[in-house]
Amino acid sequence: MKPQLMHLIKYTMFTMNFFLYVLLFPFWLVVTLWTIATHKGRPWNFICEVKRFTKFYANKKQADTTILFPEKNTERPDTQLIKKQLRAFSKISIFETNYGNPKSFRRILIFTGIHGNEFASVTGFFGINKLLKRSNKSVLPNIKLTSPLNIYGYKKNTRFDELGEDLNRNFAKSLNPKIKLQRNLIDNFKPTLVVSFHEGPVNNFLLISEPNTQVQFTNKFLRLTKQQGIILDPFSYLKYPLKTSGLWQKGIFCEVLQRIGSLSSLGMYCQNKGIKCITLETNWNLSLKEREKMQIFILEAILDQKILIN
Ligand SMILES: [Zn+2]
């Protein structure tokens, strides 16, 4: 090879290397600082991370709160109370209970306990049931309330059901009997509003509403919840600031993302059928009593006569 050509190759490589380092250095620096600032355990131990990752996926179907959110500690009812509740659930022979005025044009369908590790969404059923029972039938809309759908998850402290499935995913097509039950209820009852109780790492309270759920309704609703002393989360689940605190109004962008990720949820199913749907998220780091109280406030706000859904 001619020395001139060698020279050219060498300096081309040198220049390319130089630019590569200059361009990648800030990226490397950011990643390093970020790792150091947020690490748990030994950030340099790559093997340890790989093991943790594979363990997470092996346990994915049985994942519980400690694996999903290791730094969070949610209060769980004591064993005796759980046993008592499970006995009570086994006595509920029908899966849904009817309340209110059957002739009302407002038909509200309420799902509880979809995710077993969101304890208040399960235990809150008793308070919700009591509230509906003692309310004046004639002023109530037509209401169907399901008993907690994922009792197995509650027993085992996991998000998933006995089939290892998430009852709020693959919603439109799943053959899972509990998802089918939810779909059938929606198709037969034809609700004007679907409400689903959930919990998570939110700041106090967050309402997730599908694109077709009117903002006017949700604003009224949020004003009322605020009056009742519920602190509204200023951030979405993805941790970006919200236009209206406590209200995550899903836009078309979010829907497109969900479609791309084929993340079919109850919300999307309702959206496609033109039914209003709200998902209620309470902060699972608060005490169980506070969380259950918050659910009652929220439900009272939904049932308030000032809020019209049509
Ligand atoms: Zn949930």
Side-chain angles (χ1 to χ4, degrees), residues 114-115 118 159 197-199 281:
I114 299 286
H115 295 138
E118 299 169 8
R159 180 182 174 88
F197 282 92
H198 287 261
E199 292 204 285
E281 300 272 357

Side-chain angles (χ1 to χ4, degrees), residues 49-189:
E49 287 306 316
V50 171
K51 272 187 190 160
R52 206 193 295 188
F53 183 79
T54 45
K55 200 174 149 201
F56 173 81
Y57 272 90
N59 286 329
K60 200 174 175 239
K61 293 207 157 176
Q62 292 300 321
D64 64 10
T65 38
T66 51
I67 294 167
L68 286 172
F69 302 99
E71 74 278 21
K72 306 288 177 195
N73 227 337
T74 76
E75 192 197 331
R76 187 172 157 79
D78 65 73
T79 330
Q80 280 309 312
L81 185 62
I82 293 178
K83 271 190 190 158
K84 213 175 114 192
Q85 289 170 341
L86 293 175
R87 269 202 303 276
F89 288 137
S90 68
K91 279 182 199 150
I92 304 169
S93 53
I94 39 168
F95 233 93
E96 84 264 15
T97 324
N98 298 301
Y99 294 101
N101 177 4
K103 283 187 189 143
S104 172
F105 70 95
R106 293 173 67 196
R107 289 180 302 277
I108 302 181
L109 178 59
I110 305 170
F111 291 121
T112 63
I114 299 286
H115 295 138
N117 60 347
E118 299 169 8
F119 308 137
S121 80
V122 178
T123 61
F125 167 81
F126 296 104
I128 296 168
N129 200 29
K130 216 160 122 189
L131 170 80
L132 293 175
K133 246 184 202 166
R134 65 157 194 255
S135 305
N136 182 354
K137 242 185 178 224
S138 59
V139 296
L140 278 185
N142 190 357
I143 300 171
K144 262 188 206 296
L145 168 73
T146 68
S147 59
L149 291 169
N150 189 1
I151 295 295
Y152 170 88
Y154 180 57
K155 261 194 266 186
K156 302 270 173 182
N157 186 9
T158 161
R159 180 182 174 88
F160 306 95
D161 75 342
E162 49 269 64
L163 300 172
E165 285 173 27
D166 185 328
L167 299 183
N168 195 27
R169 294 289 178 271
N170 191 20
F171 197 90
K173 292 192 187 114
S174 177
L175 297 174
N176 183 308
K178 279 169 200 145
I179 297 179
K180 266 165 82 179
L181 182 140
Q182 292 179 76
R183 279 201 311 256
N184 287 344
L185 268 174
I186 295 169
D187 296 346
N188 297 330
F189 183 51

Side-chain angles (χ1 to χ4, degrees), residues 199-254:
E199 292 204 285
V202 295
N203 291 320
N204 245 333
F205 177 68
L206 180 65
L207 184 153
I208 304 171
S209 105
E210 298 305 312
N212 71 356
T213 307
Q214 289 160 3
V215 180
Q216 195 194 3
F217 152 69
T218 42
N219 278 345
K220 264 187 195 170
F221 168 78
L222 290 170
R223 214 168 26 240
L224 218 69
T225 28
K226 228 174 177 173
Q227 277 167 16
Q228 281 166 322
I230 292 170
I231 301 164
L232 304 171
D233 198 332
F235 298 100
S236 80
Y237 237 143
L238 304 172
K239 294 301 163 203
Y240 61 78
L242 294 166
K243 227 169 28 186
T244 314
S245 277
L247 167 66
W248 182 9
Q249 176 81 50
K250 278 192 196 162
I252 297 304
F253 176 68
C254 205

